[in-house]
């Protein structure tokens, strides 16, 4: 395991700052539950985080927007002031949009101790990207990943099962792309229909149906099995549980979504290896019984 995999992360939210437009499904204010970004407050919080964890490997992460799409002067001001209160054990992680990656941007990232870049790809398939209005092609997303990897940054990807236009074929294509790119880690956020988004209107017109909870679990479990073979860590399943649930109109939201995926993986494993039923740990037994699961299999 890479050293940075064990790092502590202090998250800062810059809801939708820098984003080239508003994606049809997105409202980061509601998803993150964070207000507007306040640099002065962030500096104080980061300072306290550094003091509490002097000897740990740490990252300060900027989530919820497109960090590298902010103008250079703004990025510089934010990073200079945050790094001024960091110790040498701390690096920066950013989340950004694939269209805002080029050599100059990566040089700037390197100068300000960015070690990890997360790209919100959401889907690799051109039809899905088009139907979801993401504004880039599969090829452009791939080029951004290659630039990041070739420049030596850690690459994380965010994918969003259930986007408009997705299909079994697009999921297979996404699997193939993951095998090609092999990012260090992956986040899976099945699409949840949020009140007030453009997708709400499309849904009301009957032109979009979100995934069922079970379909989202199955799709994520398939990704998990693939990632296990490829050595790609999945660091998050599902949207954060701090989202105001009254803002969710439809879709596969569950506050313990990640646990449901792990439960599905365990059930699949037991079906393949029924002899394991007699060797389950207490933790696995608890997982099998969690959330009203009725899984049963007689030990052989
Ligand atoms: S999905 Fe990403 S790029 Fe689109 S509006 Fe939300 S934060 Fe910005």
């Amino acid at each position: 395991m890479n050293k940075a995999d064990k790092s502590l992360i202090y998250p800062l939210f810059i809801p939708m700052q820098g984003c080239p437009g508003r994606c049809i499904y997105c409202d980061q204010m509601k998803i993150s539950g964070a207000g507007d970004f306040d640099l002065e407050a962030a500096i104080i919080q980061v300072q306290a985080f550094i003091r509490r964890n002097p000897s740990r490997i740490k990252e300060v992460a900027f989530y919820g927007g497109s960090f590298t799409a902010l103008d250079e002067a703004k990025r510089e001001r934010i990073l200079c002031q945050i790094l001024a209160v960091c110790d040498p054990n701390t690096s920066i992680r950013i989340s950004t949009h694939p269209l805002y990656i080029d050599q100059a941007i990566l040089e700037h990232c390197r100068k300000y101790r960015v070690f990890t870049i997360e790209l919100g790809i959401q889907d690799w398939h051109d039809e899905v990207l088009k139907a979801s209005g993401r504004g880039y092609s599969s090829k452009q997303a791939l080029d951004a990943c290659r630039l990041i990897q070739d420049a030596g940054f850690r690459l994380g990807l965010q994918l969003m099962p259930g986007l408009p236009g997705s299909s079994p074929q697009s999921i297979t294509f996404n699997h193939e792309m993951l095998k090609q790119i092999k990012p260090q880690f992956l986040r899976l956020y099945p699409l949840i229909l949020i009140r007030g988004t453009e997708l709400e209107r499309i849904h009301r017109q009957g032109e979009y149906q979100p995934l069922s909870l079970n379909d989202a679990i199955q799709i994520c479990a398939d990704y998990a099995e693939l990632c296990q073979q490829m050595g790609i860590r999945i660091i998050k399943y599902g949207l954060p549980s701090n989202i105001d649930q009254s803002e969710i109109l439809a879709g596969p939201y569950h506050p313990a979504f990640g646990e449901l995926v792990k439960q599905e993986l365990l059930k699949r494993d037991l079906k393949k290896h029924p002899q394991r039923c007699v060797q389950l740990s207490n933790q696995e037994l608890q997982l099998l019984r969690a959330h009203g699961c009725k899984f049963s299999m007689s030990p052989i």
Side-chain angles (χ1 to χ4, degrees):
M1 189 183 277
N2 184 306
K3 252 188 172 183
D5 287 333
K6 294 186 229 160
S7 67
L8 280 182
I9 297 180
Y10 191 83
L12 295 172
F13 290 92
I14 54 163
M16 289 159 86
Q17 284 198 29
C19 297
R22 180 166 166 176
C23 297
I24 55 173
Y25 51 82
C26 183
D27 187 332
Q28 283 293 335
M29 290 286 185
K30 291 176 182 168
I31 293 169
S32 67
D36 283 331
F37 180 64
D38 176 344
L39 181 56
E40 300 308 314
I43 292 167
I44 294 167
Q45 291 156 14
V46 169
Q47 212 163 16
F49 165 70
I50 302 290
R51 275 204 215 103
R52 284 195 304 276
N53 303 286
S55 53
R56 296 285 304 270
I57 303 289
K58 304 176 280 302
E59 286 180 285
V60 175
F62 291 90
Y63 294 135
S66 303
F67 192 84
T68 56
L70 296 172
D71 69 61
E72 188 173 321
K74 187 165 184 182
R75 274 181 275 147
E76 200 149 309
R77 187 161 51 85
I78 294 174
L79 292 175
C80 272
Q81 295 194 42
I82 292 291
L83 283 173
V85 298
C86 289
D87 63 18
N89 289 332
T90 309
S91 62
I92 303 289
R93 172 187 293 229
I94 57 167
S95 165
T96 196
H97 188 284
L99 281 182
Y100 294 86
I101 294 293
D102 60 27
Q103 295 291 4
I105 284 172
L106 292 177
E107 270 314 306
H108 195 261
C109 286
R110 194 189 314 283
K111 184 171 160 198
Y112 288 98
R113 226 193 293 163
V114 175
F115 286 2
T116 307
I117 301 181
E118 296 194 25
L119 280 187
I121 300 290
Q122 317 311 6
D123 202 286
W124 287 103
H125 199 279
D126 276 330
E127 268 175 39
V128 180
L129 291 171
K130 199 167 165 213
S132 307
R134 288 288 295 167
Y136 51 86
S137 66
S138 186
K139 161 92 174 53
Q140 284 172 304
L142 177 62
D143 289 347
C145 291
R146 290 298 187 222
L147 277 177
I148 291 169
Q149 289 177 314
D150 292 348
F153 294 89
R154 297 178 77 233
L155 172 68
L157 298 184
Q158 301 165 7
L159 293 181
M160 181 169 271
L163 278 166
S166 59
S167 62
Q169 291 73 23
S170 70
I171 294 173
T172 305
F173 185 71
N174 275 278
H175 283 207
E176 290 308 314
M177 291 303 287
L178 273 184
K179 286 189 211 164
Q180 237 188 77
I181 295 158
K182 289 197 214 133
Q184 261 95 353
F185 62 88
L186 177 67
R187 294 178 191 265
L188 289 171
Y189 296 126
L191 196 157
I192 306 294
L193 197 55
I194 311 262
R195 198 179 291 284
T197 57
E198 170 67 6
L199 199 54
E200 176 188 356
R201 190 188 58 75
I202 298 172
H203 174 64
R204 287 197 192 284
Q205 289 173 342
E207 288 165 24
Y208 171 73
Q209 272 309 319
L211 292 172
S212 68
L213 181 60
N214 186 52
D215 284 349
I217 292 168
Q218 299 303 324
I219 290 169
C220 289
D222 292 344
Y223 272 115
E225 288 182 334
L226 173 77
C227 287
Q228 197 175 11
Q229 291 163 24
M230 304 299 304
I232 301 168
R233 283 177 72 218
I234 300 186
I235 62 169
K236 179 79 183 148
Y237 295 100
L239 286 179
S241 52
N242 55 350
I243 186 170
D244 176 351
Q245 296 192 18
S246 65
E247 299 291 352
I248 298 173
L249 281 176
Y253 180 77
H254 190 288
F257 184 77
E259 201 165 65
L260 294 178
V261 177
K262 287 173 190 155
Q263 187 181 64
E264 171 61 22
L265 288 167
L266 179 55
K267 288 194 286 188
R268 289 183 183 188
D269 190 46
L270 292 176
K271 281 182 190 153
K272 273 191 233 145
H273 309 287
Q275 68 281 7
R276 275 203 63 218
C277 282
V278 290
Q279 307 158 342
L280 288 173
S281 67
N282 284 340
Q283 214 182 359
E284 287 173 317
L285 281 170
Q286 268 174 18
L287 182 59
L288 271 187
R289 290 177 191 140
H291 311 292
C293 176
K294 299 277 186 290
F295 182 81
S296 76
M297 183 179 273
S298 314
I300 56 164

